[in-house]
């Protein structure tokens, strides 16, 4: 997943101009702080994702952008204009709701045209715009249907068309693929990215699904308990997470605590009791030596062999305790002599099950981890 | 869950709150306040026929004293609660199997049968009572049917020419049950219909016989429906005015008739008011218990 | 589908007999030639003709109808406003009191509502000189008040099942709140408004107790008239009246349920077709 190319809609501009600017925004509901001092800038034409588990404050932030909630403190600027006190119906922003929120008593065409009523626009122009939108989402033949006469995927596209019809400066998408099944999801994902590219409108997507965020967005803000934990490109967030939290939130990861033995400028040696070895890791920044030191490495970055490899750093011996066959890869759980378990993701490159190299239960295996693949975190526990 | 608010409440939208609010205050709250206040007044021969004491504490509990001292009030309270209680139990005994049956018929039959339960609601309440008056009379086919059944079952010495049903407490209960039965069936049905069928199957799978499944699973889970239906029958039945007036024993009135009489015939507003307050207290207690039960059940469902 | 046990089947048969035996008997004896309502004296439709010659009954029916039409309409407007305020206006000041007041007449025995409302009218007459006499206006106020609480209950229960995000979507698309109300909220809850109105209409048409406290001389609604007649004894013209009401209601309910069932079936089919189109 990390190796996929950026989505088609990826802008060249990575937030250089501050089209949307969130300045130190906090939102409290009674004693509960939903959003806690968030600041971020989003560039024009960007496809930006807010990623986090439920209750992390991402939806509240989105609703503040839309104007349904007012920040308790802080400011939101859109295209240089302070949004404070501006009602949702006066904002140049439209939203695609998680439930789609299609008007059940209006046809597809009337749903899409509803927002245009409020713009001074000739009737023919309005009809043209609706037709163009129907074209964009490939629903030309469905203009006269009512929402309940549509499938889930079609409803989703009507919601998208309705939100786009007013050509907003900013489109907010709340879990846009949440209600679709897996197959439809993949297809729609690319459609949304394409539409974003064609229209050039700035998109902000809220999602709890990391795959969705990574394939869609050019930049992702990972949120947790009302704060932004990391804001970066998908690749950076996956390969170079800034904290232990982000590392374990995105993708799967092996985490082991250790103690710094020695560091020699660009490499560090860390004694990891659970692994029973001293790991050699590439340093990407200076270590402070404070707090707990955590070594992390992703399962697919571990190389597993039946024979002891020569000349590789960080080699550990273990026994296959469990494995699961997933088709394109297999996930192993390797038990070390220290009783610790290491997860290893091995690609199934050869066709057929009788790969001589495939390890099975109780087999002895050797794991080796590239020093560059080891991430070091000094999070305070 | 806080109620969602999408209105900015300024100007015209205050009208939406204000108008019904003002109406409710003037025509719902004020009458209740008046009744509560008058229950502490004394009756006088004047118009309006009440007065408050001229000196501290300005209120009199005389009407409440009479309420407990005069046996007619206590007795009519007793009759009302007894009739309402018996009617509620009978409604439950008749209504529960019907509601349960409604959940176990085909969809088409369910539609028709449910409609037949609701249909009497849309016709006149008074005419349904009237229909029974005809049937309970001593010359009707219904009375003759009952009489002959009775005469077959009992020894010759006890035989009667006809059964006196009209103008008895039994007639009141019988017609109350008839009139309020749908109020019992509908909430029960709504409750039973929502129950997960697989629970029954699970209980049977674990070795319960159908009767045990009912006692162990269905009955406890339908308690909210039983209570809702029970209150919908009990409260109006306890204050019933029309049915006892038409088919009941005038010598042994229910509390609704007493209130109406004190107010209309005796012009004793304070007495009518204090009986009303007492009746409210008696009926509000089970209601409060119910809302507590319900909110606890809801909290349990969420937790 | 679980089978109906013999016990449940018996109870249902007996239950429906209990519910319908008097109604059927009422209808049968409305065609009785004899003055005695319970002894068959041959077939006749006299009582129906007598009914239409009875101006007292016709006047009362007309009064009831006017009262029910006006009170149901006003109650529906007030009840819809209260319902929208309670469900959609968030936690405004006095919200608890309003919802409490709305439920009070629903849980209070009617005799208490009647007595307290009459006391209010009598005291108002004393204090502000209105209503000098009880009549159509006092009946109207009393009927609006209790009907409104039923309408509010219907509206709130419907409105709280409607996803608020469709209203937010309309706001988001540029409609100010009053347009959202007009374009989205009211059309979406219109079936509930209609059924609230019907409920208010039938409750008003059927009310005896509250009417008996708040009406004045010369303002006898149909139920009041029937009550007075029934107190004096059973007469076959009341049977005819009852049969007519049952007939009208049965036809109305049957027709509307056929229409509703058809609509539901069509909707289900459309939903299935839409889902099938996906694959």
């Amino acid at each position: 997943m990390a190796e996929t190319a950026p989505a088609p809609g990826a802008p060249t501009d990575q937030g250089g101009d501050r089209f949307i600017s969130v300045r130190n925004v906090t939102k409290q509901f009674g004693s509960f702080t939903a959003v806690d001092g968030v600041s971020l800038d989003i560039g024009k034409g960007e496809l930006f994702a807010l990623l986090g588990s439920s209750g992390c404050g991402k939806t509240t932030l989105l609703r503040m952008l839309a104007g349904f909630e007012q920040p308790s403190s802080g400011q939101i600027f859109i295209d240089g204009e302070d949004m404070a006190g501006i009602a949702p119906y006066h904002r140049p922003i439209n939203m695609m709701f998680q439930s789609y929120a299609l008007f059940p008593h209006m046809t597809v065409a009337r749903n899409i045209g509803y927002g245009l009523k409020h713009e001074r626009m000739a009737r023919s122009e309005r009809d043209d715009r609706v037709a163009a939108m129907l074209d964009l989402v490939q629903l030309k033949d469905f203009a006269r249907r009512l929402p309940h006469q549509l499938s889930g995927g079609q409803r989703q596209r009507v919601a998208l068309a309705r939100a786009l019809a007013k050509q907003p400066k900013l489109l907010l998408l709340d879990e846009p693929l949440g209600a679709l099944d897996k197959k439809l999801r993949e297809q729609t994902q690319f459609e949304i990215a394409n539409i974003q590219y064609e229209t050039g409108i700035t998109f902000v997507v809220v999602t709890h699904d990391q795959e969705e965020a990574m394939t869609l967005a050019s930049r992702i803000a990972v949120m947790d308990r009302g704060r932004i934990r990391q804001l970066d490109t998908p690749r950076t967030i996956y390969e170079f997470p800034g904290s232990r939290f982000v590392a374990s939130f995105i993708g799967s990861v092996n985490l082991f605590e250790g103690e710094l033995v020695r560091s020699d400028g660009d490499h560090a040696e860390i004694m990891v009791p659970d692994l029973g070895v001293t790991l050699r890791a590439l340093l990407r920044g200076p270590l402070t030596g404070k707090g707990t030191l955590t070594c992390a490495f992703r399962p697919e970055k571990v190389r597993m062999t039946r024979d002891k490899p020569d000349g590789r750093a960080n080699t550990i011996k273990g026994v296959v305790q469990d494995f699961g066959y997933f088709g394109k890869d297999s996930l192993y759980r390797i038990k070390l002599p220290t009783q610790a378990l290491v997860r290893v993701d091995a690609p199934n490159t050869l066709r057929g099950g009788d790969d001589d190299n495939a390890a099975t239960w109780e087999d002895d295996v050797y794991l080796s981890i590239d020093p560059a693949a080891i991430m070091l975190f000094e999070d305070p526990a | 869950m806080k109620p969602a608010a999408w209105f900015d409440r300024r100007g015209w939208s205050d009208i939406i709150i204000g108008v019904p609010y003002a109406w409710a205050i003037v025509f719902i709250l004020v009458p209740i306040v008046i009744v509560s206040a008058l229950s502490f007044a004394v009756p006088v021969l004047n118009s309006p026929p009440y007065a408050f004491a001229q000196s501290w504490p300005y209120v009199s509990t005389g009407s409440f004293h009479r309420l407990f001292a005069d046996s007619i009030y206590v007795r009519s309270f007793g009759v009302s609660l007894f009739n309402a209680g018996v009617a509620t139990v009978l409604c439950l005994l008749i209504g529960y199997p019907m509601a349960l049956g409604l959940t176990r018929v085909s969809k088409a039959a369910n539609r028709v049968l449910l409609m037949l339960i609701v249909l009497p609601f849309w016709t006149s309440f008074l005419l349904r009572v009237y229909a029974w008056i005809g049937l309970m009379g001593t010359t009707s086919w219904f009375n003759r049917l009952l009489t002959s059944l009775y005469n077959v079952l009992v020894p010759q010495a006890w035989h009667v020419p006809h059964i006196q049903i009209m103008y008895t407490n039994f007639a009141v209960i019988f017609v109350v049950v008839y009139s309020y039965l749908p109020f019992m069936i509908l909430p029960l049905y709504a409750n039973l219909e929502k129950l997960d069928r697989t629970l029954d199957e699970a209980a049977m799978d674990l070795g319960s016989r159908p009767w045990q499944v009912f006692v162990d699973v269905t009955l406890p889970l339908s308690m909210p429906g039983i209570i809702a239906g029970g209150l919908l029958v009990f409260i109006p039945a306890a204050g019933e005015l029309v049915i006892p007036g038409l088919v009941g024993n005038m010598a042994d009135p229910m509390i609704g008739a007493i209130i109406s009489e004190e107010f209309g015939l005796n012009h004793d507003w304070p007495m009518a008011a204090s009986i009303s307050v007492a009746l409210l207290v008696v009926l509000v207690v089970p209601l409060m218990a119910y809302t507590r039960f319900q909110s606890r059940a809801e909290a349990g469902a969420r937790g | 589908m679980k089978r109906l046990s013999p016990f449940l089947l018996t109870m249902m048969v007996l239950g429906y007999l209990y519910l319908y035996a008097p109604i059927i008997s009422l209808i049968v004896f409305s065609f009785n030639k004899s003055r005695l309502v319970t002894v068959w004296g041959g077939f006749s439709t006299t009582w129906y003709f007598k009914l239409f010659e009875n101006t007292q009954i016709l006047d009362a029916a007309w009064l009831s109808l006017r009262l029910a039409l006006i009170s149901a309409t006003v109650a529906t407007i007030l009840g819809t406003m209260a319902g929208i305020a309670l469900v959609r206006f968030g936690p405004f000041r006095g919200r608890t009191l309003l919802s409490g007041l709305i439920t009070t007449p629903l849980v209070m025995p009617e005799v208490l509502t009647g007595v307290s409302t009459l006391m209010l009218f009598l005291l108002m007459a004393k204090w502000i000189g209105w209503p000098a006499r009880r009549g159509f206006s006092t009946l109207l106020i009393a009927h609006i008040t209790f009907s409104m609480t039923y309408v509010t209950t219907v509206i709130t229960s419907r409105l709280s099942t409607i996803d608020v995000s469709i209203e937010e979507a309309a706001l988001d698309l540029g409609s100010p709140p009053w347009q959202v109300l007009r374009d989205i909220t009211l059309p979406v809850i219109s079936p509930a408004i209609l059924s609230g109105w019907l409920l208010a209409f039938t409750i008003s048409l059927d009310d005896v107790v509250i009417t008996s406290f708040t009406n004045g001389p010369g303002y006898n609604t149909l139920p009041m008239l029937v009550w007075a007649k029934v107190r004096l004894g059973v007469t076959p013209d009341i049977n005819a009246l009852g049969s007519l009401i049952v007939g009208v209601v049965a036809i109305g309910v049957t027709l509307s349920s056929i229409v509703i069932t058809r609509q539901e079936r069509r909707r289900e089919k459309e939903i299935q077709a839409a889902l099938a189109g996906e694959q």
Side-chain angles (χ1 to χ4, degrees), chain A residues 63 68 88-89 93-95 97 99 101-103 105-106 114-115 117-118 148-153 162 166 184, chain C residues 163 165-166 168-177 179-180 182-184 187-188 267 270-271 274-275 278-279:
Chain A
R63 288 175 63 82
F68 296 124
Y89 44 94
I93 300 172
N94 286 124
M95 179 153 162
F97 287 78
S99 58
L102 299 182
F103 307 132
H105 57 302
M106 295 186 191
Y114 183 79
K117 275 198 341 186
H118 304 286
H148 75 264
Q149 297 167 314
L150 301 176
S151 70
R162 187 180 69 179
K166 290 190 76 172
L184 207 56
Chain C
D163 185 2
S165 62
I166 65 166
E168 287 180 344
L171 281 180
D172 183 69
L173 292 167
S175 293
Q179 279 186 17
V180 177
R182 188 196 61 193
D183 293 349
I184 311 297
V188 169
R267 201 182 157 88
E270 285 172 350
I271 289 171
L275 292 181
E278 180 83 49
Q279 261 73 50

Side-chain angles (χ1 to χ4, degrees), chain B residues 4 6-9 12 17 21 23 35 47 113 116 122 124-126 130 134-135 139 174 178 235 263 269 283, chain C residues 2 16 18-20 25 38 88-89 94 107 109 116 118 122 126 145 167 177-178 202 206 223 234-235 239 249:
Chain B
W6 53 268
F7 263 81
D8 47 349
R9 286 183 292 98
W12 67 274
I17 300 181
Y21 213 129
W23 189 283
V35 168
S47 171
L113 290 176
L116 285 176
W122 299 92
S124 168
F125 161 74
L126 211 51
Y130 167 82
L135 290 189
T139 55
F174 193 78
Y178 174 76
I235 292 179
F263 182 80
W269 288 22
L283 296 181
Chain C
K2 275 182 78 161
Y16 279 97
Y18 180 39
L19 284 178
Y20 280 90
S25 176
T38 49
R88 287 295 197 248
F89 276 20
V107 298
S116 60
L118 177 53
L122 292 170
K126 180 89 181 162
T145 307
E167 284 147 303
W178 70 271
T202 47
D206 197 23
V234 207
T235 49
N239 278 35
V249 168

Side-chain angles (χ1 to χ4, degrees), chain A residues 246-258:
Chain A
V246 174
S248 51
F249 183 74
I250 309 281
S252 76
V253 71
N254 292 295
L255 291 167
F256 294 99
E257 285 177 7

Side-chain angles (χ1 to χ4, degrees), chain C residues 85-142:
Chain C
L86 285 174
V87 183
R88 287 295 197 248
F89 276 20
F92 60 87
R93 218 157 33 125
R95 185 178 177 278
T96 323
L97 178 65
L98 181 60
S99 78
L101 287 179
I102 295 292
T103 38
T104 307
L106 297 172
V107 298
M108 230 166 42
E110 279 184 297
V111 61
L112 297 188
T113 310
V115 164
S116 60
T117 312
L118 177 53
M119 281 186 184
L120 173 77
F121 286 144
L122 292 170
L123 290 178
M124 274 171 75
K126 180 89 181 162
W127 293 334
I128 61 169
W130 186 91
R133 276 182 302 138
R134 273 163 287 133
F136 194 72
S137 53
T138 52
L139 277 178
L140 199 56
I141 288 173

